[in-house]
Amino acid sequence: MDLARFKQVSEVEWQVAPSGRMRVPAVIFADQALVREMDDKVYEQLTNVASLPGIVQAAYAMPDAHWGYGFPIGGVAAFDADAGGVVSAGGVGFDISCGVRTLHTGRRTDEIAPLKQRLADRLFAHIPAGVGSTGPLRLNAAGMDAMLRGGARWAVEHGYGSAADLDRIEERGCMAGADPDKVSEQAKRRQRDEIGTLGSGNHYLELQEIMEIHDAKAADRFRLRVGEVVVSIHCGSRGLGHQIGTEFLRQMVAAAPSYGIELPDRELACAPITSPLGQAYLGAMRAAINCALANRQVITHLARQVFAELLPGTHLTLIYDVSHNTCKQELHTVDGQSRRLHVHRKGATRAFGPGHPALPDDLRDIGQPVLIGGSMGTASYILVGTETGMTRAFSSACHGAGRAMSRHQATRQWRGRSLVDALASQGILIRSPSLRGVAEEAPGAYKNVSAVVEAAERAGLARKVARLKPLVCIKG
Amino acid sequence: MKIYTVGGAVRDRLLGLPVADRDHVVVGATPEDMVSLGYQPVGKDFPVFLHPQTHEEYALARTERKSGRGYKGFTVYATPEVTLEEDLRRRDLTINAMAEDESGTLIDPYGGRADLAAKVFRHVSEAFAEDPVRILRVARFAARFDGFVVAPETNGLMRRMVADGEVDALVPERVWQEIARGLMEARPSRMFRVLRACGALERLLPEIDRLFGAPQPPAHHPEVDTGEHVMLVVDWAARHAMSLPVRFAALTHDLGKGVTPRDLWPRHHGHEAKGVELLRALCERLRVPADCRDLAIAVARDHGNAHRAPELRPGTVVELLERVDAFRRPERFEAFLEACECDFRGRPGYEDRPFPAPDYLRQALRAAQAVDAGAVALRVEPARIREAVFQARAQAVAALHSHAGGNWEHFPHQADMGVRGTGPTLAAAFEQAALAMTAVVTDPSRVAPKEAVDIRCEAAGDELLLVDWLNALIFEMAARRLLFGRFAVTLDGHRLHATAWGEPVDPARHEPAVEIKGATYTELKIAKNEAGQWLAQCVVDV
């Protein structure tokens, strides 16, 4: 992207002043190299977002931003309902509440090493992954609605995990305001037997070794020690979320003119927050958030079963669970005033700093763990929310490396089999139903996650706590 | 002498139907009286005359008495003393036994008008039993008059007639004549149901009777029962004004299913070949005319192949075209396709599904016809000409698969994938875009067309319709865990109706790379290029 199009505010902040239809500035948090590598579409999409009704302060792009649909992936935008603000199905995305959770095993790498192959095989066999797979539950209509209302709390009530898990999940494991009646029968039908499945694409379950500690105090509070092993799960709301995204996007495209909203790009389709369609979407989207939380909770349970079988006495304790495709109502201080805003995070992680009331008691003084997913061969990071972040982009940070290369290019460059062999020689075991899927997700197809995290820290969005390296990756 | 209008003319007038033929009865006259008035005698077995101007039929009132088996053994009495009531009494049904005098007064001694109102076929007297053709007539009336039922006592009488062997004595030509007329009525199925209810179907057309009670796989035949299927097929043919040969072919296409051993139910492997044998015997027995027979045999033998045509190998398609004589008799080939369509649609829920086979076979015929057989013959030894022409035709049909339908490709999007279809029509471009979407997941050629899914959508424009079409497929793929490898799209404005063929995901064989979350409005475009090719594209989220 041409740097001349921006005003450089700092080493890691780039701004586009409002012009034309833009109502607020567009801001990218990234270093020069990352901005230069970004597709021109990010500029176009971010300035489009800045033109939506009721947007507050600025349209933000995280260091891992890339070309998405309507909103850039890695985009953050907040809207004020009282100022005609909108909610956008495209601004949340198809995979509603896709996110990451990380659990302690409490085991050192040397304890895991002899069992690595067996753990990989058993996890792959036990956790449904890939196209067409089904989960351990079949939900009837009442069960579906209860799950959509209850989220991870519903899962815990049904024996998947413990109440202690709920404290370490955003919204305490249950998103308020979910309205299963606003979720179509088609969406529910897509989900009937998908609870407890990883899905495909960039979704995974990994065993990771803690390689490096960057912030001793926060690491101590998160109980992270070099040489220990954690489990990370990356997946979302499955078919239900995809169908909700599809259906509301369609409705919002059709309804936008009736709300007097002119769309520079159909994918930006949105409706006023206070409109019936906006409220219906929020009800359905929150149900999808619960679906994602329940899904990760059930998968957690499946992972615990495998550990109990192969390494009895291991307790997988939840460090935190974050979602990165959401629209949430939050209080933020804007120009010294506290305002209730609907914050869209599309491929961006919430990163509450110390003292935020939404944090569990035992983490409130240190800040929220921010989990940054890697890509098979590359590192993952655990960050922590900061005070400064709360004033930057509505307490938001990056969510992962972000793609540098299309799937199309990736399949031309890599072969699944040789990739699996090459990673195995680095001590990383890959298990996947699809070799082509592995090639499309090749580590080389992603940006350098370390550079992304570095930029997020320098921009004050979040602070590095630990770096993790994959040992085993179950790939959907 | 007194003249009355009788029979069908009176009935149809009361029903408010157009009156085609007007029959008259003359009471109190001799043949000589009629001739002296200028009427022209025409009856061979009984005295009937044509009016000198109108040429309508005038019959002297008569009574008839049975004197032998079958419909010919009668003794006729026609004298000036025979009354109108006596004449009406020899008629078959009360609704046909009414008369009107010249002033328009209705004479209805047997309650015909009440039966007309109640929609009942009721025999006038026991004399009904004297002519077994009347069973066929009642059945034919049932096919014509909507909602009429046979009175229980009339059905009982017909059953006794069947038990007495009356219908066995009917001459074949007369049976065929009545069946053929019934097939041309509005609801032919009702004829067969009436014949079945009195047991006559078992005597006259046992091949049809046996189909009732023979089950078919519910996945392809929601109606299950073969007899019910055939009834739906003949009615569909009638509703769509098909010709007699097509309707007869519709009636007889599945005869083989009636002789499947019960332990093989609901499968009927090889029913086509068995059906052809039964059909030949039936046609011989009833002296079915050649045009009806030949089409029916072709349909009975090859309707299954026709349905599967888009999935058949090119050589097999050419063999099919040769077997149904499509190259020499294109008009009969059209009739063949019509009958196959009746078969396809004669199932609940299939009435307006897309049925691409006929268009595909027409295309294949055109492609094969375009082969210059003379030029091919010059290139090879005489002994190999036949084979060489066949090969050239097969190649022409194969080319249809690879070109005419268009092409698909992927285009890059940073996180996801773009799908693009091109084709000679917008519908073809939509089909190709769907193939491109399957190719995001797996190699489309690895997906076997084992299941068909019906898809409909409607949108405000072509672009939105493309997104809806792909999202409808994504939903079906996800909810049914299917992959699709073949598509047939029909477009009517911004309404889409399509069939997608595929099979359940098999991870080992399909190696699915990713699941598709949704089709997006990103890079969404519909366009037509200078070469007249349509293009349809968008990005799908994976």
Side-chain angles (χ1 to χ4, degrees):
Chain A
M1 206 150 59
D2 183 5
L3 300 176
R5 304 172 84 171
F6 296 90
K7 178 183 148 206
Q8 187 168 7
V9 178
S10 76
E11 195 198 350
V12 285
E13 184 177 343
W14 308 73
Q15 213 181 81
V16 183
S19 67
R21 305 151 52 93
M22 288 170 69
R23 296 163 195 260
V24 292
V27 175
I28 299 180
F29 292 109
D31 65 22
Q32 197 180 74
L34 286 170
V35 176
R36 193 175 282 129
E37 282 167 25
M38 284 180 191
D39 196 293
D40 283 330
K41 292 275 182 187
V42 174
Y43 177 93
E44 192 186 307
Q45 294 188 326
L46 197 63
T47 51
N48 280 342
V49 171
S51 73
L52 290 176
I55 186 164
V56 174
Q57 202 163 285
Y60 295 103
M62 299 292 109
D64 52 341
H66 52 284
W67 175 23
Y69 315 108
F71 279 56
I73 296 163
V76 175
F79 298 84
D80 186 340
D82 297 332
V86 294
V87 58
S88 166
V92 172
F94 287 91
D95 200 357
I96 297 167
S97 198
C98 180
V100 180
R101 65 165 51 186
T102 298
L103 304 119
H104 264 298
T105 65
R107 300 282 184 180
R108 292 184 316 277
T109 313
D110 57 356
E111 293 176 85
I112 299 276
L115 288 162
K116 211 164 117 182
Q117 292 276 358
R118 285 186 64 201
L119 272 169
D121 293 337
R122 282 298 298 145
L123 286 167
F124 181 52
H126 199 54
I127 293 167
V131 180
S133 54
T134 55
L137 288 161
R138 302 286 171 275
L139 294 182
N140 62 18
M144 177 70 66
D145 287 0
M147 181 274 286
L148 295 177
R149 279 199 193 88
R153 188 180 296 165
W154 169 88
V156 169
E157 282 163 7
H158 285 74
Y160 297 93
S162 66
D165 294 334
L166 299 177
D167 270 349
R168 295 303 185 101
I169 304 173
E170 288 179 333
E171 326 302 336
R172 298 284 194 276
C174 175
M175 185 74 216
D179 186 352
D181 292 343
K182 296 295 185 290
V183 178
S184 72
E185 285 310 310
Q186 276 91 337
K188 290 175 181 174
R189 200 173 142 210
R190 260 176 96 164
Q191 193 60 29
R192 217 159 38 187
D193 43 16
E194 285 201 350
I195 282 287
T197 61
L198 268 181
S200 65
N202 60 1
H203 295 160
Y204 60 73
L205 180 146
E206 283 190 349
L207 299 194
Q208 301 159 331
E209 179 181 355
I210 300 167
M211 300 302 288
E212 194 179 350
I213 297 294
H214 301 278
D215 179 327
K217 187 180 165 213
D220 187 50
R221 297 300 303 280
F222 298 167
R223 300 198 302 118
L224 303 173
R225 277 180 287 276
V226 170
E228 288 188 344
V229 175
V230 297
V231 175
S232 286
I233 297 165
H234 175 212
C235 65
S237 52
R238 313 290 303 111
L240 181 123
H242 309 161
Q243 190 70 20
I244 290 172
T246 299
E247 291 171 4
F248 278 94
L249 189 59
R250 185 182 196 277
Q251 289 181 52
M252 287 177 176
V253 166
S258 71
Y259 295 121
I261 299 172
E262 241 184 277
L263 297 175
D265 172 351
R266 268 193 286 233
E267 206 77 30
L268 280 171
C270 53
I273 294 163
T274 52
S275 68
L277 181 55
Q279 287 297 311
Y281 175 69
L282 286 170
M285 186 227 24
R286 288 165 183 157
I289 290 177
N290 281 331
C291 180
L293 298 181
N295 193 40
R296 289 196 286 272
Q297 187 66 28
V298 171
I299 293 173
T300 298
H301 180 74
L302 298 177
R304 282 171 172 156
Q305 287 178 328
V306 171
F307 273 88
E309 174 193 325
L310 295 182
L311 261 171
T314 307
H315 297 286
L316 300 189
T317 51
L318 184 54
I319 298 171
Y320 212 66
D321 178 302
V322 297
S323 294
H324 44 235
N325 289 341
T326 58
C327 172
K328 289 186 174 174
Q329 187 176 277
E330 297 164 6
L331 284 172
H332 288 280
T333 307
V334 182
D335 299 330
Q337 274 193 314
S338 178
R339 289 170 74 179
R340 189 169 296 279
L341 302 175
H342 283 77
V343 183
H344 292 68
R345 294 186 183 87
K346 164 83 168 279
T349 314
R350 187 156 79 178
F352 283 146
H356 197 283
L359 294 176
D361 297 343
D362 55 350
L363 293 178
R364 192 162 300 136
D365 63 319
I366 193 82
Q368 179 207 311
V370 178
L371 312 172
I372 307 301
S375 48
M376 295 199 293
T378 63
S380 292
Y381 282 86
I382 297 178
L383 317 185
V384 64
T386 60
E387 303 262 10
T388 48
M390 301 211 258
T391 62
R392 290 284 147 88
F394 306 110
S395 293
S396 307
C398 52
H399 83 307
R403 285 196 87 92
M405 190 184 285
S406 73
R407 292 173 182 280
H408 198 62
Q409 285 171 296
T411 47
R412 283 202 221 141
Q413 200 148 333
W414 291 285
R415 287 279 161 272
R417 173 46 57 196
S418 47
L419 209 55
V420 169
D421 293 344
L423 288 167
S425 71
Q426 299 170 35
I428 303 169
L429 301 182
I430 306 295
R431 295 288 183 275
S432 174
S434 169
L435 286 173
R436 186 176 135 191
V438 169
E440 290 183 5
E441 290 293 324
Y446 282 83
K447 290 180 198 165
N448 179 352
V449 68
S450 302
V452 167
V453 167
E454 198 67 38
E457 179 169 281
R458 293 220 304 271
L461 300 172
R463 205 168 62 248
K464 283 193 290 183
V465 177
R467 181 169 60 88
L468 316 171
K469 175 206 154 185
L471 299 171
V472 169
C473 177
I474 312 299
K475 196 87 195 147
Chain B
M1 78 186 227
K2 235 182 142 181
I3 294 175
Y4 300 89
T5 305
V6 292
V10 178
R11 177 198 66 214
D12 289 350
R13 194 186 63 73
L14 289 173
L15 283 172
L17 297 173
V19 174
D21 296 314
R22 201 175 286 274
D23 292 335
H24 304 272
V25 162
V26 183
V27 176
T30 62
E32 294 72 25
D33 297 337
M34 298 301 282
V35 171
S36 69
L37 288 167
Y39 286 82
Q40 196 185 336
V42 287
K44 198 172 74 176
D45 299 324
F46 38 83
V48 178
F49 303 85
L50 295 186
H51 191 278
Q53 277 92 45
T54 65
H55 300 287
E56 289 179 346
E57 279 191 11
Y58 286 72
L60 298 187
R62 66 180 190 271
T63 60
E64 291 169 352
R65 259 246 308 287
K66 178 110 177 183
S67 59
R69 275 202 180 282
Y71 80 103
K72 277 192 165 166
F74 289 99
T75 309
V76 174
Y77 299 90
T79 63
E81 290 73 39
V82 176
T83 65
L84 177 66
E85 284 70 19
E86 285 170 328
D87 181 279
L88 294 175
R89 191 177 152 73
R90 69 173 167 81
R91 293 171 187 268
D92 53 2
L93 299 173
T94 59
I95 59 164
N96 294 331
M98 293 181 282
E100 252 174 27
D101 66 16
E102 282 155 309
S103 70
T105 307
L106 185 74
I107 296 109
D108 179 21
Y110 306 107
R113 192 168 195 174
D115 282 340
L116 212 51
K119 300 200 169 187
V120 173
F121 297 132
R122 192 190 315 278
H123 62 283
V124 177
S125 72
E126 293 296 311
F128 180 96
E130 293 175 353
D131 183 0
V133 172
R134 286 173 166 175
I135 295 175
L136 287 162
R137 268 169 60 87
V138 170
R140 182 159 62 75
F141 284 138
R144 182 192 302 177
F145 296 111
D146 190 34
F148 276 71
V149 295
V150 179
E153 62 270 29
T154 304
N155 191 49
L157 180 61
M158 297 200 298
R159 290 192 74 88
R160 283 202 300 283
M161 292 165 70
V162 172
D164 290 346
E166 284 288 340
V167 296
D168 304 328
L170 286 167
V171 297
E173 291 84 351
R174 195 65 210 276
V175 174
W176 167 251
Q177 188 187 2
E178 290 293 329
I179 298 287
R181 288 174 71 181
L183 278 172
M184 293 312 287
E185 297 290 3
R187 289 276 301 278
S189 67
R190 296 173 52 87
M191 168 167 71
F192 298 104
R193 292 192 193 283
V194 167
L195 292 176
R196 193 167 132 73
C198 68
L201 192 64
E202 196 189 342
R203 312 298 309 174
L204 298 171
L205 289 169
E207 300 89 345
I208 304 291
D209 191 67
R210 276 200 293 267
L211 300 179
F212 290 91
Q216 308 165 99
H220 303 296
H221 284 279
E223 75 287 355
V224 180
D225 187 275
T226 309
E228 295 303 327
H229 166 56
V230 168
M231 294 299 101
L232 289 168
V233 175
V234 291
D235 282 352
W236 202 92
R239 202 157 59 247
H240 293 81
M242 296 294 172
S243 65
L244 177 63
V246 171
R247 295 187 194 200
F248 180 64
L251 176 69
T252 55
H253 75 281
D254 266 347
L255 296 187
K257 289 182 180 172
V259 293
T260 305
R262 282 169 182 254
D263 54 336
L264 300 180
W265 283 357
R267 302 266 154 216
H268 298 276
H269 286 303
H271 79 270
E272 290 94 342
K274 282 186 274 183
V276 169
E277 281 174 48
L278 292 166
L279 182 54
R280 280 188 201 283
L282 182 154
C283 291
E284 185 91 355
R285 190 172 78 238
L286 295 184
R287 319 266 198 276
V288 174
D291 60 337
C292 286
R293 180 196 61 204
D294 293 348
L295 179 66
I297 287 174
V299 172
R301 188 186 53 219
D302 277 313
H303 61 277
N305 287 324
H307 292 321
R308 286 189 294 274
E311 296 149 34
L312 297 177
R313 286 197 308 276
T316 312
V317 172
V318 175
E319 283 167 7
L320 170 64
L321 294 172
E322 288 178 345
R323 216 163 39 236
V324 301
D325 214 0
F327 292 99
R328 287 190 305 172
R329 301 191 54 191
E331 74 294 337
R332 209 190 69 197
F333 179 58
E334 276 303 312
F336 170 83
L337 296 178
E338 284 177 347
C340 290
E341 182 158 7
C342 294
D343 175 27
F344 179 86
R345 304 218 175 277
R347 292 176 286 176
Y350 285 73
E351 295 84 353
D352 53 1
R353 262 191 213 190
F355 181 45
D359 276 343
Y360 172 75
L361 282 172
R362 285 184 193 106
Q363 264 186 348
L365 177 63
R366 278 197 297 277
Q369 276 171 332
V371 169
D372 184 347
V376 174
L378 287 177
R379 287 200 300 269
V380 298
E381 306 157 34
R384 289 201 54 245
I385 289 176
R386 219 189 106 75
E387 171 64 13
V389 170
F390 176 82
Q391 289 302 342
R393 285 173 169 172
Q395 275 167 21
V397 173
L400 219 56
H401 280 279
S402 50
H403 301 302
N407 292 298
W408 60 263
E409 62 185 327
H410 291 151
F411 62 91
H413 173 272
Q414 199 168 15
D416 296 301
M417 245 201 243
V419 297
R420 179 182 293 145
T422 51
T425 61
L426 184 57
F430 272 44
E431 290 168 3
Q432 293 295 324
L435 271 175
M437 190 168 75
T438 294
V440 170
V441 185
T442 188
D443 175 355
S445 68
R446 288 193 214 168
V447 182
K450 290 179 183 163
E451 284 180 43
V453 175
D454 189 52
I455 290 174
R456 287 161 196 268
C457 35
E458 191 172 354
D462 289 337
E463 291 187 348
L464 299 179
L465 189 61
L466 175 68
V467 174
D468 281 1
W469 155 237
L470 296 178
N471 276 325
L473 288 171
I474 291 166
F475 172 75
E476 297 295 343
M477 287 164 75
R480 299 172 193 252
R481 293 180 206 292
L482 290 175
L483 289 170
F484 296 117
R486 192 190 292 278
F487 307 90
V489 171
T490 53
L491 290 175
D492 171 13
H494 296 142
R495 258 202 298 272
L496 174 147
H497 194 169
T499 301
W501 288 271
E503 61 173 330
V505 181
D506 176 351
R509 195 154 43 81
H510 297 126
E511 298 185 81
V514 281
E515 82 194 330
I516 299 172
K517 293 171 187 164
T520 76
Y521 301 92
T522 299
E523 301 288 297
L524 173 58
K525 194 163 97 180
I526 304 281
K528 197 175 179 183
N529 67 15
E530 308 83 36
Q533 288 277 304
W534 285 88
L535 172 153
Q537 69 167 50
C538 73
V539 168
V540 294
D541 189 359
V542 296

